[in-house]
Amino acid sequence: GAAAVHPLRAALAQPACLYWLDEEGRRGCLHTVGDKVISRYLELVEDLFANVRKLGQALRKLNKGGGEGGGGRGDEALSDDVKIYMQVALDAEALLGDLRAGGAVGPSL
């Protein structure tokens, strides 16, 4: 998450960054950048989830249908799939927090 907004943070740290824009123009520019960051992040997450599903299917085939997608441990522990989904949810919340802090998204997102 944080790496995704690093270029935005670096640009905003420059004293003259967007100085020539009024508040509305600056907000519009930041929201455009925020939209692009979110769109790219969504693409990466969709690719990750597709790979997680494929790996889970392959593991289930190897285990001949036994167990969850993370290695066949059953109900005793969270599957690796679920752990990955939970981590992505946490990362997405952190990314949104960073974008909000930088003014790149509005509070409604």
Side-chain angles (χ1 to χ4, degrees):
V5 295
H6 178 72
L8 176 62
R9 285 184 181 162
L12 292 174
Q14 301 299 318
C17 179
L18 307 175
Y19 76 94
W20 45 274
L21 294 174
D22 62 9
E23 186 62 32
E24 183 178 335
R26 183 175 304 129
R27 190 171 33 253
C29 182
L30 290 173
H31 285 192
T32 298
V33 171
D35 288 346
K36 292 194 180 298
V37 168
I38 290 170
S39 294
R40 180 65 181 136
Y41 189 79
L42 180 59
E43 290 173 12
L44 294 172
V45 168
E46 287 172 341
D47 287 346
L48 173 66
F49 286 177
N51 288 329
V52 168
R53 282 189 297 274
K54 288 177 189 174
L55 181 60
Q57 291 169 351
L59 288 173
R60 281 189 288 279
K61 285 180 184 178
L62 284 174
N63 290 328
K64 297 187 192 295
E68 293 292 312
R73 291 185 309 270
D75 292 334
E76 297 173 15
L78 291 175
S79 72
D80 291 341
D81 299 13
V82 172
K83 290 177 186 176
I84 291 170
Y85 299 143
M86 291 171 63
Q87 185 61 53
V88 168
L90 293 171
D91 291 347
E93 283 296 319
L95 174 64
L96 280 176
D98 286 347
L99 291 171
R100 282 187 190 110
V105 295
S108 63
L109 187 61

